[in-house]
Structure formats: C-alpha cells, structure tokens
C-alpha cells in the first residue's frame, strides 16, 4: 500500500487545495494567476467528487469527467479573455480596470 | 490518517500550488501548476480511477497548460512580484480550510467504508499500460515548455 | 305660467349663449362684431325681462328640479321669480344694455372687445340667474359667477400691475366673505333641512327653529353679503376695483353686482327679522355709510369718490333693511343703480376724453363738454337727494325710517352720511367742471353721441321714476306704510343747503381756502385718515400680515417645513446616506467582489449548518 489514507485525510487535501485556491484568487492581481487559482478550486472540487465516488459508486467519477471538460473550456475562454484584456488595456491587472464601478 | 506517501503528495500538491501563486516568474509558476495538476492525477490513480487520472493529465496537464503557456507567450512574461490584499485572503482561506476540515470530522462521511486500493497493483498496471503514453506526453510537454521559454527569451532580447 | 317659466330660463340662458357667441364671432371675424352680438343679446334679454315683468301676476313664477342626486342626497335647483327678482333683473339687464352701448365709445381703443363683451354678458347672465334662482345653492353658484366676472373685468387691463393686484384683492376679499356664506348655507342645509328661500322664510315666520341658530345662519350669510356689497370691514376692494374700465365700475361695482348682498338680505328678510340679525345689519350699514361719506369727502380721484359714494348708498340700503323698511332699501337700490350708473358713465366720458382720473388735475370742463357736465349734474343732484330727482324720495324715506326706528347711533350716523352726499357730490362737480381749465381739460371735447344716449336715458329715468313711485312700491311690496316727518325733512334739506353753501364757497367761489387746514398737522392727519378710508385697508393688511401670516401661517409653515417636508426629506436623506455608504462596496475591483462572494459562501454554509 503505497498510498493509504482515510476519507478525512483526502478531504483535508481537498480543502487545503481549495484554501490555497481561494487565497490565490483573492490575493493575486494578475489575471493569469487568478486563472491558476480558479483551476485549483476546480481541482479541489474534482478531488471531492473522486473521493466520494471511491467511497460509494461511480457517479462522482463520471461527473468529474464533465467537470474536467468544463474546466478546460473555461480555461480556454478565460485565456482568450486575458489576451483581449491585454490588448485592450495593456496590462492584466484587473484591479486597475474599474469600469464596473458605481 | 494517511501514511507518509499521502502526506508527501499532500506537501507536493500544496507546495506546488503555493509556488504557482507566489513564484516571481510567470513561466515557472506555470511549470509549478503543471506539477500540481500531475500530482492530482496521481491522487486519482491512487483512488483507483486511472481513466480519470489519464484525462486529468491529458486535458489539464496537457491542454490547459498549453493554453496558459500560449497566453503567457502572447502577453509576455512578467517578473513582477505579485501583490495583493493578502491578509483578507489568508483569513478567508484559512477559515474555509478550518471549516471544511471541522465539518468533515463532524459529519458522518466515514461511516461508509472507504475503499483503499493497493498502489502497487496500480503502479504495475500503470507501468504496463500507460507508461509509454505518459512518457511521450511528458516529452511533448517538456519540448513545448522549452520552445515557449526560447521564444519568450528571444522576444525579450529583441526588445 | 308654463310659458313664463321657459321665458325665465331663456332669459338666463340667452346671456350665456350671447357671451360665448360674442366671443367666438369677435374672435373669428371682425372684433367689433362682438359689439353687435352683445347689443342684440342685451336688448333681447331686456325685452324678455320686461315681458316677464309685465306678465307677472299675483303669483310668483316657480319651477323646481333636482340638479343632481347621490342616492338619497339631492341638490335642488329652481327658479323663483317675484316682483323683487324682476326689478333686480330689470336693473341688471337695462343698465347692462345701456352700458354695452356706452362701451362702444369708451372702449374704442381697445384691442380685444370680444373678451370684454364676453365677460360683460357672462356677468349679466350670472346676475340675472342670481336674482332668479330659488335657493341658496343656486344663488351661490351665480354669486361666484358674478364674482368671477368682477375679478376678470377689474383685471381687464391685466398688463397694469395695479389692475391685476386690484382684481386679486377683490377676488380674495369677496371670497373671504363667501367662505362664511358657504358655511352658513351648509349650516342651514344640515340643521334646517332646506335651502329654499321661501321655505326658510316660512320656517322663520312659523318660528320653527331657535333664534340663536337663525342668528348664526343669518350672520354667516350676512358676512358674505358684506363682502360682496363692500361694507365695513370688507370694503377696500371696491376702491381698488376702480382700476378696471369705468364702464365695468358703472355696471358691476355700482349698479348691479354690489347690490347682490342687499338683494340677498332683502330676499331673506323674514329670516333675518326672526333671527334678530337686522340690528347687526343696521349697525354695519350705518358705520359703513359714515366711513364712506367722510372718505368721499376727502378723496381726490373721480372714480374713488364715486366708489365711496356707492359704498355709502349700499350702506344706506342695509340701514333701511336693518331698520325694517325693506321697501325703502329696495327702492333706493333701484334709484341708486340708475343715478350711480349715470354718474359713473359720465365720469367715464370725462376720463375717456381727458385721460385723467384725478379730479383736482381737471377743471373748467363745463366749457368743453357741456352736455356731459349737465348730465353729471343731474346725477349729482339725484345722488345728493335734491327734491325733484329720484334720490330724494328714497333717501328721505330711509332717513325717516331710521328716525322712526329710534336708535340714536344708527340714526345719527345715517343722517350725517346721507346729508354729506351733497357736499362731496358738489365738491366733485365744482372741481371737475368749473374753475380754470387745466392742461388736461383743454384738449377735451364733447363725448360721442353713442356715449351720450345712454346718459340721457338714465338722466330721464332719474326724473321719471319719482312719478311712478307708488306703482313701483306697490308692485314690489304691496301696501307699505311710509313714515313721514315734516320736521326731519325740513332739517335735512336745511343741513343740505348749508353744506351746499359751504362747498359752493370753498370750491366754486374759492373764498375759503382749505390750504391752511390741510397744512395744519391735525387737519392733515384727519384728511389722511379719511382719504385712506379710516385705515381699514391698512388694518386688514396688518391683521393679515401679523395675525394670519405672522403667527398662523408661520406656524403652519414651520410644521410644513419641519414635519411634513422633514419626513419626506428625511426619508430621502436616509436613503441617500445608506446609498452613500453602500456604494463604497462597489469598488469596481473584481477581487473585492470575489472577496464578498467567498465571505458570502462561508456565511451561507454557516447558516445552513447552524440555523
């Protein structure tokens, strides 16, 4: 048994990843790094699905496939947006672009 | 609780995640991100889900990373130290972590038997069936990384 | 009888119809065409009124209908035409017709005669309606109608600030009285159950309600009459109303509208009698007569002297009613309408030819407009109550009736006021028509024939009416006992003669000079006091400013600003403050939004798990 852990440990891994993702999402000012953080969060969710799938049945695993596909799409669109963003504003720091302000 | 390997994987996952966020060079951040995704694929393998792990490697460590690299290529590498409102973020993320762990222990999720699989068997299967695929993929990724680095360096020198 | 009912309605309606058609015809064709429509309407109206008067038998014309109904609540309307109404209507239509004819000359330079004739015919129609309706609600409608026309016609030259202000003043002041009158109508309707004049009078004659209630209703209605008839203390509007065209003053503010108050009291005479309200009417009338007569003695503008005189004669009518002699009051009303219309129209001719309203800036006009001067003299003689003219008969009757009544205060004030007529009348005539011609007088010329004809008609009437005195009184009131005191008559005539002598010496012969008197502070003060109508206007202004505005309105304003507006503005300020704080959340920074989002997720999780 190379890798042996109970569900709490796996969930702790998942939550840690989620925490790091949230930390990155909230603290980074570069769009690309925020995308990294989003991917981390999605992976944390995926891990959760896989863990519970291992515990019960195959549903979560199948759902994780969809999530991966969706995440890939999201990354593609997000990076396209990043490029447009860069062309439009000359930088990729969303905090400086305050068009959404009141 | 898991064994020492699990905690090694844990440390690699979280460490690479933090490096992906904190690294000064965006390119090395991307590399660290690839490591993170690969480690998660390893966790999937450890959970006896080889197909999911493969897809994770293919789509995440392959496709998404390539996209990220291209984006970095288009934008240009940044060496700026990433800044941000760290305190709020740390507090919130720690809160999430504590809450999640607390509730995971509070809940009844461990009443069901948790299936653990022998990674030895898994490793045998992996080496037998997917080693070639993984090696080829790894080469391709390495080549792409190298090319991307080369192109970016050239561009910077040209400027 | 049915036919007469329809003719009565037609008489009221034809003026309103005529007013609208005069306006439209004047508007869409040649403007002065409205004059011919007005003349035609006035003539037809007058003929119809004459027809009603001639065919009115012993019984009045009565017709009733419901104006509108809310369930069991019905508002009745109807007509009640008796001899009193007919005489009032004859005055309104007859003098109205003459006035319309006269206006052709007086308003010759006017830009919008169609508007003028529209308002004038509307006024006559309202006046005829006022005297023909059978109950207080109908009367109130037409009462406001004549008030509206008065307002419009005073402010006819609306571009003159003084005229616009005078119109507003007249409107507000008469409306002040009307509010009380309206309250009286409501009280009568609620507590007595009827608003019909005849029913109210019948109730009063039967003694069906308490005297106190009757007194309340009578006084409330009388305040309305005071406002409309320009008695103390609501008379200053009448003086300011002279800003309007003189023809308007002649018709509305001398001959007809201001008589509406007298008519109302006469119409409800038994009611007032039963309620012991007549003594109030008498006192108010006597005081007003005295104020007006002394004011006329001091004033210098032709029209305002005549306005004071109008007020005085209306007050004399109220005195006559107050002392219980309705016949004298109504007879004087009729005579006064005729000679005051004559005086005002003649004054209008003078003003039109000289463009000067101040009597003391004129002089020697007899040489330039002898016919007008003689007609004016006829009016003055009738006004003063010199024997062959109609004013003498009615005024003497009023003095006699007051004497017979026996109240020394009322008699004293009335007597002084009545004899002072000759003083201010001849003072005016001497000042305007004799002496050295001033620069204004020199380019005056005789009035146009179209202006002189109505004057002649009225002048002839002042002489003719006394011959038919008995018939008129009989037509109006049946058999009436007229008190006659030879001593009083002799005394009155003697005092009048002495006053005439004094005025003759001062203003014609100019042997006695008033300069010294006016130079003395006391004399100057008295003159100012009388000139300003005993400062009643200033007192009203003071009360309005310091009592109504200074305390009540200020308090209401404070409540309005700090409570009502405060609540509204406070709500706005509160939401603004909330918004001002909340908008700080909307930084536009995506990361901030994400922070809120994560915090919200955590909160939601906590909520779901712990709540």
């Amino acid at each position: 048994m190379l890798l042996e852990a109970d569900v709490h440990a796996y969930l702790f891994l998942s939550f840690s990843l989620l925490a790091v993702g949230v930390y990155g999402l909230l603290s980074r000012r570069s769009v690309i790094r925020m995308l990294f953080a989003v991917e981390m969060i999605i992976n944390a969710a995926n891990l959760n699905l896989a863990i519970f799938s291992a515990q019960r049945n195959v549903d979560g695993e199948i759902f994780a496939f969809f999530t991966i596909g969706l995440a890939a799409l999201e990354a593609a669109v997000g990076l396209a947006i990043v490029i447009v963003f860069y062309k439009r504003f000359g930088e990729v720091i969303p905090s400086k672009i305050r068009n959404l302000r009141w | 609780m898991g064994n020492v390997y699990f905690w090694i994987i844990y440390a690699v996952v979280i460490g690479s995640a933090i490096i992906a966020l904190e690294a000064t060079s965006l390119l090395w951040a991307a590399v660290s991100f690839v490591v993170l995704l690969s480690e998660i694929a390893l966790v999937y393998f450890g959970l006896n889900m080889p197909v999911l792990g493969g897809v994770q490697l293919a789509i995440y460590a392959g496709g998404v990373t390539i996209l990220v690299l291209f984006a970095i290529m288009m934008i240009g590498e940044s060496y700026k130290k990433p800044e941000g409102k760290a305190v709020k973020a740390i507090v919130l993320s720690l809160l999430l972590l504590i809450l999640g762990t607390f509730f995971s222990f509070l809940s009844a999720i461990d009443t069901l038997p948790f299936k653990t699989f022998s990674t030895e068997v898994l490793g045998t299967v992996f080496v037998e069936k997917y080693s070639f695929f993984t090696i080829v993929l790894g080469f391709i990724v390495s080549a792409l990384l190298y090319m991307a680095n080369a192109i970016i360096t050239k561009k910077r020198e040209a400027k | 009888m049915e036919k007469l009912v329809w003719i009565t309605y037609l008489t009221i309606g034809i003026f309103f119809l005529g007013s609208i058609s005069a306006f439209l015809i004047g508007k869409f064709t040649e403007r002065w065409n409205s004059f011919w429509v007005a003349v035609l309407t006035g003539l037809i109206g007058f003929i119809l009124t004459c027809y009603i008067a001639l065919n009115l038998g012993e019984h009045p014309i009565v017709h009733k209908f419901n104006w509108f109904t809310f369930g069991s609540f019905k508002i009745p309307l109807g007509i009640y035409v008796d001899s009193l109404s007919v005489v009032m209507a004859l005055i309104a239509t007859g003098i109205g017709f003459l006035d319309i004819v006269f206006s052709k000359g007086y308003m010759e330079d006017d830009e919008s005669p169609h508007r003028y004739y529209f308002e004038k015919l509307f006024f006559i129609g309202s006046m005829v309606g006022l005297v023909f309706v059978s109950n207080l609600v109908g009367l109130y409608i037409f009462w406001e109608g004549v008030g509206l026309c008065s307002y419009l016609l005073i402010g006819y030259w609306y571009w003159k600030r003084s005229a616009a202000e005078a119109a507003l003043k007249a409107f507000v002041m008469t409306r002040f009285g009307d509010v009380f009158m309206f309250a009286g109508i409501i009280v009568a309707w609620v507590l007595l159950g009827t608003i019909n004049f005849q029913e109210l009078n019948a109730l009063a004659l039967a003694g069906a309600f308490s005297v106190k209630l009757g007194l309340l209703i009578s006084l409330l209605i009388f305040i309305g009459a005071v406002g409309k008839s320009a008695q103390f203390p609501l008379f200053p509007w009448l003086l300011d109303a002279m800003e309007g065209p003189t023809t308007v003053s002649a018709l509305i503010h001398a001959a007809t509208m201001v008589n509406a108050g007298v008519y109302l009291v006469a119409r409800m005479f038994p009611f007032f009698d039963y309620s012991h309200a007549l003594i109030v009417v008498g006192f108010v009338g006597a005081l007003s007569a005295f104020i007006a007569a002394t004011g006329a003695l001091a004033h210098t503008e032709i029209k305002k002297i005549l306005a004071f005189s109008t007020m005085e004669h209306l007050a004399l009518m109220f005195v006559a009613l107050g002392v219980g002699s309705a016949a004298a009051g109504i007879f004087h009303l009729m005579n006064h309408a005729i000679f005051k219309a004559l005086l005002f129209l003649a004054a209008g001719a003078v003003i039109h030819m000289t463009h000067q309203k101040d009597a003391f800036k004129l002089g020697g006009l007899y040489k330039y407009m002898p016919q007008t001067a003689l007609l004016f003299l006829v009016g003055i003689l009738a006004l003063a109550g010199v024997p062959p003219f109609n004013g003498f008969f009615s005024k003497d009757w009023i003095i006699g009736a007051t004497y017979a009544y026996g109240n020394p205060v009322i008699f004293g004030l009335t007597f002084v006021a009545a004899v002072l007529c000759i003083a201010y009348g001849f003072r005016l005539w001497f000042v305007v028509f004799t002496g050295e011609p001033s620069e204004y007088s020199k380019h005056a010329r005789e009035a146009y024939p179209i202006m002189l004809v109505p004057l002649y008609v009225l002048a002839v009437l002042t002489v003719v009416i006394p011959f038919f005195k008995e018939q008129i009184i009989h037509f109006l009131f049946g058999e009436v006992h007229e008190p006659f005191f030879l001593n009083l008559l002799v005394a009155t005539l003697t005092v009048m003669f002495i006053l005439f002598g004094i005025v003759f010496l001062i203003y014609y012969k100019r042997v006695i000079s008033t300069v010294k008197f006016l130079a003395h502070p006391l004399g100057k003060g008295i003159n100012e006091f009388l000139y300003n109508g005993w400062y009643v206007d200033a007192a009203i202004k003071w009360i309005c400013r310091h009592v109504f505005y200074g305390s009540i309105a200020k308090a209401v304003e404070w409540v309005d600003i700090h409570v009502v507006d405060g609540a509204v503005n406070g709500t706005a300020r509160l939401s603004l403050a909330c918004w001002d704080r909340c908008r700080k959340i909307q930084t536009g920074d995506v990361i901030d939004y994400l922070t809120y989002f994560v915090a919200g997720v955590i909160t939601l999780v906590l909520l779901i798990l712990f709540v």
Side-chain angles (χ1 to χ4, degrees):
Chain A
M1 297 289 281
L2 190 64
L3 195 63
E4 196 177 342
D6 63 355
V7 67
H8 294 303
Y10 276 113
L11 282 177
F12 184 65
L13 172 64
S14 163
F15 281 122
S16 302
L17 197 56
L18 173 72
V20 174
V22 167
Y23 159 75
L25 190 63
L26 298 189
S27 66
R28 300 302 86 166
R29 294 180 67 191
S30 161
V31 180
I32 292 181
R33 292 195 195 243
M34 284 168 77
L35 267 173
F36 287 173
V38 169
E39 296 296 338
M40 285 172 203
I41 291 168
I42 290 170
N43 271 300
N46 257 352
L47 257 177
N48 259 4
L49 287 171
I51 290 158
F52 291 125
S53 174
Q55 197 184 15
R56 290 180 171 82
N57 52 28
V58 82
D59 293 354
E61 193 188 342
I62 291 166
F63 203 80
F65 283 112
F66 290 109
T67 315
I68 288 169
L70 206 71
L73 287 176
E74 180 255 322
V77 174
L79 287 165
I81 289 172
V82 168
I83 288 162
V84 174
F85 197 108
Y86 182 75
K87 277 187 180 169
R88 172 87 168 72
F89 296 106
E91 60 187 0
V92 285
I93 302 170
S95 301
K96 287 192 179 172
I97 315 303
R98 301 205 164 189
N99 289 350
L100 289 175
R101 205 168 171 163
W102 66 86
Chain B
M1 286 299 117
N3 61 4
V4 68
Y5 300 109
F6 174 80
W7 289 113
I8 289 169
I9 289 175
Y10 177 87
V12 172
V13 166
I14 301 304
S16 61
I18 289 170
I19 289 167
L21 294 173
E22 296 288 344
T24 325
S25 163
L26 203 53
L27 198 69
W28 287 116
V31 171
S32 178
F33 186 57
V34 176
V35 171
L36 161 72
L37 296 171
S38 309
E39 289 300 315
I40 287 170
L42 198 59
V43 175
Y44 291 152
F45 286 124
L47 284 168
N48 197 18
M49 295 170 183
V51 183
L52 185 59
V55 169
Q56 169 85 3
L57 279 175
I59 294 181
Y60 262 119
V64 173
T65 312
I66 299 303
L67 282 173
V68 168
L69 286 175
F70 269 98
I72 292 167
M73 226 167 72
M74 303 284 271
I75 290 164
E77 204 185 344
S78 159
Y79 286 97
K80 246 189 254 170
K81 171 78 186 160
E83 292 171 4
K85 298 160 188 167
V87 181
K88 236 190 277 177
I90 288 168
V91 167
L92 280 172
S93 54
L94 281 178
L95 204 62
L96 268 177
L97 174 62
I98 292 161
L99 268 176
T101 318
F102 179 64
F103 287 126
S104 81
F105 280 102
L106 201 72
S107 66
I109 44 172
D110 53 348
T111 48
L112 276 181
F114 187 65
K115 290 175 234 167
T116 48
F117 295 93
S118 166
T119 20
E120 285 173 5
V121 181
L122 198 74
T124 317
V125 172
F126 179 69
V127 171
E128 280 175 359
K129 285 191 177 172
Y130 301 107
S131 57
F132 179 73
F133 173 70
T134 316
I135 289 162
V136 171
L137 199 73
F139 272 114
I140 293 170
V141 169
S142 310
L144 280 171
L145 279 174
Y146 179 76
M147 277 164 66
N149 197 14
I151 292 165
I152 291 162
T153 317
K154 234 185 209 172
K155 262 193 180 171
R156 204 167 51 236
E157 280 170 357
K159 272 182 186 175
Chain C
M1 212 53 171
E2 187 64 22
K3 195 175 152 199
L4 276 178
V5 170
W6 284 113
I7 287 175
T8 311
Y9 281 122
L10 184 65
T11 317
I12 302 170
I14 195 160
F15 283 103
F16 292 112
L17 205 68
S19 66
I20 292 163
S21 48
F23 183 81
L24 291 177
I25 286 171
K27 179 102 184 159
F28 292 111
T29 63
E30 182 62 29
R31 287 195 170 175
W32 275 102
N33 284 347
S34 56
F35 167 72
W36 298 108
V37 179
V39 165
L40 195 68
T41 313
L43 195 61
I44 294 172
F46 183 61
I47 289 168
L48 287 172
T49 317
C50 287
Y51 181 83
I52 294 168
L54 292 173
N55 287 284
L56 190 70
E58 287 293 309
H59 301 289
I61 306 168
V62 183
H63 185 249
K64 284 178 186 169
F65 63 95
N66 279 330
W67 182 18
F68 54 80
T69 312
F70 294 123
S72 61
F73 178 73
K74 293 182 179 117
I75 295 189
L77 268 186
I79 50 166
Y80 179 89
V81 182
D82 61 357
S83 47
L84 178 61
S85 309
V86 160
V87 169
M88 292 292 295
L90 277 173
I91 293 167
T93 52
I95 294 177
F97 172 65
L98 294 175
D99 197 83
I100 287 167
V101 174
F102 184 88
S103 302
K104 177 83 168 82
Y106 185 78
M107 307 294 284
E108 60 177 347
D109 304 326
D110 199 69
E111 294 289 318
S112 53
H114 57 299
R115 185 161 63 90
Y116 176 80
Y117 284 113
F118 166 73
E119 285 162 9
K120 199 134 223 178
L121 287 173
F122 197 90
F123 168 76
I124 299 170
S126 297
M127 194 67 207
V128 172
L130 193 153
V131 296
F132 279 169
V133 290
S134 67
N135 64 26
L136 276 166
V137 166
L139 181 125
Y140 191 75
I141 294 166
F142 289 115
W143 186 275
E144 297 301 327
V146 291
L148 172 70
C149 292
S150 164
Y151 166 76
L152 290 173
L153 285 166
I154 293 168
Y156 181 72
W157 291 319
Y158 54 85
W159 52 87
K160 274 166 64 184
R161 190 173 170 75
S162 58
E165 281 175 356
L168 195 63
K169 188 174 185 178
F171 199 70
V172 170
M173 243 183 215
T174 50
R175 224 52 54 221
F176 178 75
D178 292 350
V179 172
F180 289 94
M181 185 176 150
F182 192 61
I185 293 171
I186 290 169
V187 171
W189 204 348
V190 172
L191 295 181
L192 300 184
T194 177
I195 43 167
N196 190 296
F197 293 124
Q198 306 312 313
E199 288 169 15
L200 283 173
N201 287 343
L203 284 177
L205 289 173
F209 52 93
S210 72
V211 174
K212 280 180 185 170
L213 177 60
L215 187 62
L216 174 70
I217 296 169
S218 307
L219 288 183
L220 286 172
I221 289 177
F222 181 61
I223 291 171
V226 162
K228 194 61 108 189
S229 288
Q231 297 302 295
F232 177 81
L234 296 177
F235 65 83
W237 70 266
L238 185 64
L239 302 175
D240 287 12
M242 295 303 134
E243 288 294 333
T246 312
T247 47
V248 170
S249 307
L251 180 63
I252 298 181
H253 305 116
T256 49
M257 187 193 84
V258 285
N259 292 338
V262 182
Y263 166 78
L264 180 58
V265 176
R267 174 57 82 198
M268 298 184 72
F269 190 73
F271 192 88
F272 274 66
D273 196 11
Y274 171 74
S275 312
H276 301 310
L278 284 180
I279 183 79
V280 181
V281 177
F283 268 109
V284 169
L287 188 58
S288 308
F290 190 69
I291 292 171
T294 49
L297 210 52
H299 220 288
T300 55
E301 272 187 35
I302 302 176
K303 286 182 73 178
K304 291 206 173 170
I305 291 171
L306 292 177
F308 267 125
S309 164
T310 305
M311 178 187 155
E312 186 216 323
H313 283 269
L314 291 165
L316 288 180
M317 293 167 213
F318 274 121
V319 168
L321 291 165
V323 300
S325 179
I330 298 301
F331 187 49
H332 192 60
L333 189 158
M334 189 180 140
N335 291 336
H336 167 255
I338 290 164
F339 66 68
K340 192 49 64 68
L342 169 62
L343 278 172
F344 260 114
L345 292 181
V350 170
I351 291 167
H352 186 64
M353 291 304 161
T354 58
H355 301 290
Q356 177 56 252
K357 281 200 270 187
D358 195 332
F360 282 79
K361 288 182 181 165
L362 297 169
L365 268 179
Y366 184 80
K367 217 185 325 181
Y368 301 98
M369 24 196 340
Q371 293 185 56
T372 313
L374 284 174
L375 290 163
F376 205 102
L377 184 62
V378 170
I380 292 288
L381 290 170
L383 170 87
V386 176
F389 299 97
N390 61 358
F392 166 74
F393 295 93
S394 54
K395 203 158 77 178
D396 189 61
W397 189 357
I398 289 173
I399 294 171
T402 316
Y403 185 66
Y405 186 68
N407 187 317
V409 178
I410 293 180
F411 174 70
L413 292 172
T414 313
F415 183 77
V416 172
V419 294
L420 277 177
C421 287
I422 194 164
Y424 65 72
F426 273 99
R427 170 174 172 267
L428 176 63
W429 197 80
F430 286 142
V431 166
V432 173
F433 291 103
T434 65
E436 284 298 308
S438 74
E439 54 177 317
Y440 296 103
S441 311
K442 276 179 184 160
H443 47 70
R445 59 189 186 86
E446 188 52 80
Y448 310 123
I450 201 163
M451 294 162 92
L452 285 174
V453 168
L455 294 182
Y456 275 115
V457 172
L458 290 166
V460 168
L461 276 176
T462 58
V463 185
V464 168
I465 285 215
F467 293 108
F468 300 100
K469 180 186 171 189
E470 294 303 321
Q471 285 93 318
I472 291 165
I473 296 299
H474 187 79
F475 176 69
L476 273 169
F477 292 98
E479 290 303 319
V480 176
H481 168 68
E482 183 185 345
F484 181 73
F485 304 97
L486 187 63
N487 299 345
L488 186 64
L489 178 62
V490 172
T492 313
L493 290 176
T494 315
V495 174
M496 276 164 61
F497 188 73
I498 293 167
L499 283 170
F500 173 73
I502 294 169
V503 170
F504 184 76
L505 288 178
I506 297 175
Y507 291 104
Y508 185 69
K509 284 289 177 191
R510 323 234 165 181
V511 233
I512 308 170
S513 173
T514 53
V515 175
K516 210 174 170 185
F517 175 73
L518 289 178
H520 193 269
L522 184 67
K524 193 162 176 275
I526 291 171
N527 189 48
E528 291 273 308
F529 182 66
L530 298 180
Y531 184 92
N532 289 309
W534 290 32
Y535 288 115
V536 171
D537 194 18
I540 290 172
K541 272 181 188 155
W542 190 88
I543 289 169
C544 287
R545 186 162 298 148
H546 289 92
V547 178
F548 293 126
Y549 179 71
S551 56
I552 299 169
K554 278 276 174 67
V556 173
E557 190 195 16
W558 189 90
V559 170
D560 187 44
I561 287 176
H562 289 92
V563 179
V564 180
D565 284 9
V568 175
N569 290 344
T571 314
R573 214 171 288 132
L574 187 70
S575 65
L576 186 68
C578 286
W579 173 73
D580 208 38
R581 278 155 186 72
C582 288
R583 70 172 187 157
K584 301 250 163 69
I585 296 169
Q586 311 270 326
T587 52
D589 191 344
V590 180
I591 290 168
D592 286 341
Y593 298 148
L594 281 169
T595 313
Y596 307 140
F597 168 69
V598 172
V601 167
I602 292 171
T603 319
L604 265 180
V605 168
L606 287 173
L607 273 175
I608 290 166
L609 285 166
F610 284 117
V611 180

